[in-house]
Amino acid sequence: MDFSKLLFRCSSLGYLLSETREKSNYQKWLDAKANYSKLLDEKNNMQQFNKDGKTLSLNFKKKNDAVIAAGKLETELYAVKDEIILSESAKTHLIDLYVSITTGRNTDIENKYMRKGNEVEEDAITLYSRIKKQMFRKNEEHLKNEYIMGTPDTWIGESIHKSIFVPDMKSSWDLYTFYRTYTKELSKIYFWQSIGYQWLTGAKKGSIAYCLVNTPQPLIDAEIRRIWYKIGQPTENSEIFQDLVKETTASMTYDDIDYRKRLLEYFVDWQDEYADKIIKYVKAGRLYLAQIHEELTLKQSS
Amino acid sequence: MEVMQISGNDVAFLQEKAQVDVQISTAKLYPRNNKRSLENAIFTATIDKETAATCTYSVPRGGKAITGPSVHLAKILAQCWGNMRIEAKVIEVGDKHVTSQAVAFDLENNVAIKVEVKRSIMTRSGRMNDDMIVVTGNAGNSIALRNAILSVIPKAIVDKVYNSAKSTITGDISDATKLLKRRKQVVDGLIQTYGLTEKEILSPIGKAAIDHVTADDIVVLIGIGQAIKDGDTTVDEAFKGGKTFVHKTTEESEKERMATLINDATTQEDLAKLEKDVQPELLDLFNQKKEGLK
């Protein structure tokens, strides 16, 4: 199986590029380089000989050995400084991806949050358009380059291929999850998704736009049914149940809230080095997939 | 000899009182054995799958399926609990509603609950005919009787019997294979009996795919089948009236979006930003707004 041309979804870049707990090879090399320079300086400023002026001092010898060892380490690390160390979450994601590719099974089992996101995509674009006082259209075109692929929600610019700005809509499940986003930093998953879309469209700026739009009635009904089971399947006349129905419906519809207060937007700026970083990680990801495949094939056939 | 004048009403009252007094005395003399009553109720309700299926009902209300213990289960409970006096009758036939009243009287504990239920007798074409009013009255009686009985018999007892019935309905679904088999049986049964599509069957339980149907959903679906048989609901109401996702085309969504943006515009400048994207069908609205903002 050939993974050398596999394209990664923009939504999965955040997993692939997630940081390792240990330092990257590049950082290790930088540290080793700094340490080597420091030891070298110390050595150069040391008294080289004993009082007799002929024999080398023991301290100088020790420092010299340390400099040689540090120089050796720096050279070794220099050779691998550009090698990517994949994090544990990246590896887990790649294994899931491997299973998905080789068995045709998908790990994205539908849940109510995803369902709402899909069902209200157009409503979220409408809300965004109203706030920006500008017509946004849903993009239907699937974009790809040699490394990544994705379908941005919408864009500003001449066309999706010549965008100047790519906002990505995220529909919050309810009021609480909407406001919780305000207190948190933008997740790395969404950050890299936006960067991926910017790379594909040529835009130099993007955003993650959290939108609070009404939950579709079938999802409200499903939520009411869940509550009904939870509180012991009361009769339809139960006052407690009726109150909960009212509360649930109110908590999932927001027409009473000014639409201008139903958007929280985080902007993400493009930097050219991001493309290099993605390329390195995509290559590392492809190699890892090939490695999993080789190892599993060996284990399963033996 | 003194002769007392007794009116017809008094006779009826005295007869009723004597009857109740005798029933209460008998109840006190032969009190129920709670454990045995419960066991008998469970035995009767779960004697076979068909009987168990009659013990639950599901009707769609406000886009969801309301499921609960049916009147059949209530009657089984009343019979096995014993020392009860239950009755239901239509007490009023109005212009738009019939009102049913039911009383469940626990003679041993001297607890009586009276429940009234109103049912509409209006159709799209006006008031129902007399036969249909009788049918509706009977349905109201059943509901009132069920609610009265279930209010008098302790909830703990009702729940135990109801849950046993539910387990019998679903059968053994202790593992995924068994659940899958039972799910298929129920869904295929509904497809064959009522000519429904898979999507229609999933609508009252709010599931997107058959794979997501749980044991509880199976009880709801069987309950709906029972409610249709009992006349509590119809196939259309249960499976075709539920709200489903309305999927608009991209074009429809864009037109709606543009109409909203035109209506939102408060300045000529706002409108000018939209002009290049206005769809031909919305040009009139756009021009009207433009005039209005001058």
Side-chain angles (χ1 to χ4, degrees):
Chain A
M1 191 166 265
D2 181 16
F3 295 97
S4 64
K5 291 197 168 88
L6 182 81
L7 306 184
F8 283 79
R9 288 178 184 279
C10 290
S11 54
S12 78
L13 289 178
Y15 299 100
L16 188 65
L17 277 84
S18 59
E19 283 161 14
T20 49
R21 285 192 187 158
E22 60 175 306
K23 288 176 183 171
S24 64
N25 279 349
Y26 186 76
Q27 190 57 49
K28 282 181 193 166
W29 169 69
L30 285 180
D31 290 350
K33 197 177 155 196
N35 188 43
Y36 173 72
S37 302
K38 184 175 152 253
L39 290 171
L40 195 63
D41 281 351
E42 284 169 6
K43 187 191 108 175
N44 290 339
N45 293 326
M46 274 178 89
Q47 195 73 35
Q48 197 173 348
F49 296 101
N50 285 324
K51 282 179 185 168
D52 62 8
K54 289 177 186 169
T55 53
L56 285 173
S57 80
L58 188 62
N59 281 344
F60 183 81
K61 272 184 188 170
K62 279 183 184 170
K63 187 60 78 179
N64 195 44
D65 289 346
V67 170
I68 292 167
K72 199 180 161 200
L73 180 65
E74 191 268 341
T75 313
E76 280 169 10
L77 286 170
Y78 178 79
V80 294
K81 74 177 169 51
D82 291 329
E83 271 181 29
I84 298 296
I85 302 174
L86 292 171
S87 70
E88 285 311 307
S89 19
K91 286 177 185 170
T92 307
H93 176 71
L94 288 165
I95 290 169
D96 290 350
L97 188 62
Y98 177 79
V99 174
S100 173
I101 294 168
T102 52
T103 67
R105 262 80 159 176
N106 204 338
T107 51
D108 289 341
I109 296 163
E110 194 196 63
N111 61 38
K112 61 183 184 181
Y113 310 105
M114 287 162 65
R115 187 99 198 261
K116 178 174 178 181
N118 293 333
E119 294 292 340
V120 302
E121 215 172 351
E122 290 279 9
D123 294 345
I125 297 177
T126 299
L127 176 73
Y128 192 77
S129 299
R130 291 183 78 186
I131 293 168
K132 302 290 172 183
K133 295 185 175 186
Q134 185 178 348
M135 180 69 178
F136 282 87
R137 291 202 157 86
K138 183 171 151 52
N139 166 57
E140 312 266 10
E141 199 175 332
H142 189 66
L143 308 176
K144 53 188 170 186
N145 62 21
E146 276 178 64
Y147 303 94
I148 60 169
M149 60 180 174
T151 313
D153 285 340
T154 185
W155 77 98
I156 293 182
E158 211 176 296
S159 71
I160 187 73
H161 302 281
K162 291 179 181 171
S163 304
I164 50 170
F165 180 69
V166 272
D168 194 51
M169 310 295 153
K170 302 288 175 205
S171 294
S172 299
W173 170 248
D174 60 20
L175 260 173
Y176 301 98
T177 48
F178 175 70
Y179 279 109
R180 272 177 218 150
T181 60
Y182 182 67
T183 60
K184 290 176 188 165
E185 267 185 41
L186 179 63
S187 91
K188 290 284 178 199
I189 308 295
Y190 291 161
F191 172 85
W192 284 107
Q193 187 177 9
S194 178
I195 291 295
Y197 289 154
Q198 289 176 49
W199 193 17
L200 289 171
T201 58
K204 298 291 178 204
K205 203 172 180 68
S207 76
I208 297 296
Y210 287 98
C211 298
L212 185 66
V213 294
N214 288 347
T215 310
Q217 192 60 42
L219 284 177
I220 298 179
D221 291 344
E223 197 63 11
I224 289 171
R225 211 164 42 82
R226 192 184 63 76
I227 292 168
W228 179 69
Y229 276 118
K230 203 175 161 190
I231 63 169
Q233 307 177 355
T235 63
E236 57 190 295
N237 300 324
S238 156
E239 276 181 32
I240 299 173
F241 177 58
Q242 291 303 337
D243 287 348
L244 284 170
V245 168
K246 274 185 207 157
E247 267 176 45
T248 307
T249 309
S251 74
M252 297 170 89
T253 49
Y254 317 105
D255 291 329
D256 55 325
I257 301 173
D258 184 346
Y259 69 87
R260 283 161 288 218
K261 291 182 178 166
R262 293 198 262 134
L263 170 74
L264 284 171
E265 192 170 18
Y266 295 82
F267 294 94
V268 180
D269 290 330
W270 172 257
Q271 289 177 25
D272 288 337
E273 68 216 50
Y274 288 148
D276 294 336
K277 193 168 179 182
I278 292 173
I279 292 172
K280 280 178 191 164
Y281 275 86
V282 166
K283 284 181 176 171
R286 287 169 177 170
L287 276 176
Y288 188 73
L289 285 169
Q291 192 189 324
I292 298 171
H293 184 64
E294 203 180 308
E295 284 173 11
L296 278 175
T297 313
L298 270 176
K299 274 186 189 167
Q300 286 164 347
S301 59
S302 61
Chain B
M1 190 172 76
E2 192 182 347
V3 177
M4 283 177 70
Q5 290 282 325
I6 300 177
S7 72
N9 279 348
D10 289 342
V11 171
F13 170 74
L14 289 172
Q15 275 177 345
E16 180 85 7
K17 185 177 180 303
Q19 222 175 28
V20 171
D21 283 347
V22 169
Q23 283 180 321
I24 289 175
S25 310
T26 312
K28 299 277 184 199
L29 207 59
Y30 304 103
R32 72 174 67 90
N33 177 331
N34 289 1
K35 193 166 176 274
R36 195 185 303 151
S37 297
L38 174 64
E39 284 166 0
N40 286 346
I42 291 176
F43 172 76
T44 315
T46 61
I47 198 158
D48 53 35
K49 270 191 183 165
E50 288 71 30
T51 310
T54 66
C55 292
T56 173
Y57 80 100
S58 303
V59 286
R61 289 282 180 272
K64 65 182 185 341
I66 294 276
T67 304
S70 69
V71 65
H72 302 287
L73 179 69
K75 284 178 182 168
I76 290 173
L77 281 163
Q79 285 152 8
C80 298
W81 192 238
N83 288 339
M84 285 188 74
R85 183 188 160 96
I86 53 173
E87 61 175 52
K89 59 187 174 195
V90 171
I91 55 165
E92 192 199 350
V93 180
D95 291 338
K96 292 181 178 173
H97 293 96
V98 284
T99 308
S100 295
Q101 186 187 73
V103 181
F105 189 174
D106 183 339
L107 300 155
E108 202 178 310
N109 295 324
N110 204 17
V111 175
I113 302 257
K114 188 192 279 181
V115 171
E116 282 185 13
V117 167
K118 269 187 194 298
R119 299 278 279 185
S120 170
I121 48 172
M122 297 302 291
T123 65
R124 278 180 201 163
S125 52
R127 198 170 186 262
M128 288 174 178
N129 62 35
D130 287 350
D131 287 345
M132 278 312 293
I133 291 175
V134 171
V135 172
T136 307
N138 286 339
N141 286 349
S142 287
I143 295 166
L145 192 65
R146 178 193 68 204
N147 293 351
I149 294 170
L150 298 183
S151 304
V152 168
I153 297 176
K155 189 172 180 299
I157 302 288
V158 176
D159 286 351
K160 272 211 178 300
V161 182
Y162 181 50
N163 289 335
S164 304
K166 284 204 290 188
S167 300
T168 307
I169 293 169
T170 54
D172 180 10
I173 44 169
S174 50
D175 62 47
T177 319
K178 287 172 183 163
L179 172 64
L180 208 73
K181 197 178 160 195
R182 184 73 178 127
R183 192 158 65 190
K184 193 174 176 330
Q185 223 173 28
V186 172
V187 171
D188 287 353
L190 287 167
I191 289 173
Q192 281 157 20
T193 314
Y194 301 116
L196 296 163
T197 63
E198 210 173 274
K199 200 178 163 194
E200 285 166 343
I201 291 170
L202 295 173
S203 131
I205 51 171
K207 292 288 158 77
I210 292 284
D211 290 353
H212 302 163
V213 173
T214 62
D216 281 338
D217 295 328
I218 291 176
V219 175
V220 172
L221 289 175
I222 292 172
I224 291 177
Q226 186 57 41
I228 294 170
K229 277 186 207 156
D230 287 350
D232 285 345
T233 188
T234 62
V235 175
D236 280 354
E237 190 188 12
F239 292 108
K240 298 178 180 175
K243 294 181 184 92
T244 51
F245 289 106
V246 181
H247 292 116
K248 293 174 196 154
T249 62
T250 307
E251 233 175 81
E252 284 168 342
S253 297
E254 285 181 358
K255 268 185 217 158
E256 258 181 40
R257 183 173 306 133
M258 179 53 83
T260 310
L261 290 174
I262 294 171
N263 286 325
D264 277 355
T266 51
T267 62
Q268 289 282 359
E269 207 184 355
D270 288 348
L271 268 187
K273 275 200 262 177
L274 304 174
E275 195 159 11
K276 66 178 170 51
D277 293 312
V278 176
Q279 297 91 336
E281 299 91 326
L282 294 173
L283 274 175
D284 282 349
L285 178 71
F286 181 81
N287 290 329
Q288 276 169 23
K289 185 78 182 182
K290 203 171 176 182
E291 283 299 310
L293 287 175
K294 270 182 185 168

